[in-house]
Amino acid sequence: MAEHNIVSMSGGKDSTATLLFARELEVPNLSAVFADTGHEHPATYDYVHYLADATGIDIRWVKADFARQIAGKRKFIETKWREKGVPEAVVLAALGVLHPTGNPFLDMCLWKGRFPSTKARFCTDELKRNPIIEDVFLPLMTGENLVLSWQGVRADESLSRRYLPECDEVGGGLFNYRPILKWPVDAVFEAHRAAGIKPNPLYLQGCNRVGCMPCIMCAKDELRQIATRWPEEVSRVREWERLVSIASKRGAATFFATVTDPTVRSDDKVSAETHGIDRMVDWANTSRGGRQFDMINLIARTDSQNSCSSAYGLCE
Ligand code: SF4
């Protein structure tokens, strides 16, 4: 039985430390996988290339493809929306934007007609977990391989990670392995130093997490940093809100959810123009709170010092 050791990379400090630890142990058939969401900062893409060069470890890139789902949505709109009396102009506009762009995050949202949210966080599974399992793990699960999925998660990051086992069996010869579960954050950066590997430069530029830019669970100060340093990322999301709104039957889709925002009343007309990312950036630049906004901040800070509490360590 052949042993395969595969590290899931996010481009952040924890998955990098895990990769370095695995290399130090000289485990057999060591490789890594990085799921490109299409929504990362360019520095993270550069960093993943740098890591492959600097460590000599093959990092395979995978990318979710939603062409099939978008084709299905087009058929649904052509038939069901029309049957339900959706105005023809709305139908035609939706069909006009519903084409695969090749950007996984945008295509996922066009297909669903909405952005993910804290309550419907389908992004990690759709953009990261599923393509990694389908493209990398499943082909190895033949019964003739022992496959260790190395995951860079730490117990002190979030409640959902605190009680994870260090190792568990998925089935079919696949095991999850979380070797840095009990590591403090200092040990993570020490692993970089000891190996002569630079951390992702975004940590030196005000980011306390590395991942989607921004994450749907982004904290207030992170959003302010992003808007100040990289306004082009905000512009990209603004354009995505416009496109996804057109693909949505109700004609509105905002990157940050408004459904639990007490400042938005049920009879308010929500649109990307009035409640989109620009509104949140304006708020991020104020000292104002507001219950919902404080709650978003609180979730991001207490459940995870970072933003996503995925137990798989796919999002930092
Ligand atoms: S980083 Fe945030 S937005 Fe990106 S996949 Fe993870 S939870 Fe979703």
Side-chain angles (χ1 to χ4, degrees), residues 55-131:
T55 62
I57 297 168
D58 177 40
I59 302 180
R60 179 170 168 193
W61 289 43
V62 295
K63 217 174 174 183
D65 179 358
F66 298 100
R68 182 181 54 80
Q69 291 90 333
I70 287 177
K73 173 85 179 270
R74 288 183 65 85
K75 283 203 183 83
F76 184 82
I77 289 175
E78 282 164 350
T79 54
K80 302 290 178 197
W81 282 24
R82 283 190 170 123
E83 278 169 30
K84 286 184 178 159
V86 176
E88 190 60 17
V90 174
V91 169
L92 292 176
L95 293 174
V97 297
L98 264 171
H99 299 285
T101 66
N103 182 302
F105 201 109
L106 174 57
D107 287 353
M108 172 187 71
C109 298
L110 287 171
W111 158 43
K112 291 193 175 268
R114 59 167 295 181
F115 290 90
S117 68
T118 52
K119 288 187 175 165
R121 203 172 58 217
F122 47 79
C123 43
T124 312
D125 280 357
E126 294 287 355
L127 298 171
K128 298 186 174 187
R129 183 175 173 271
N130 294 351

Side-chain angles (χ1 to χ4, degrees), residues 105 121 123-124 209 212 215-216 308 315:
F105 201 109
R121 203 172 58 217
C123 43
T124 312
R209 56 166 286 279
C212 289
C215 173
I216 50 147
C308 175
C315 300

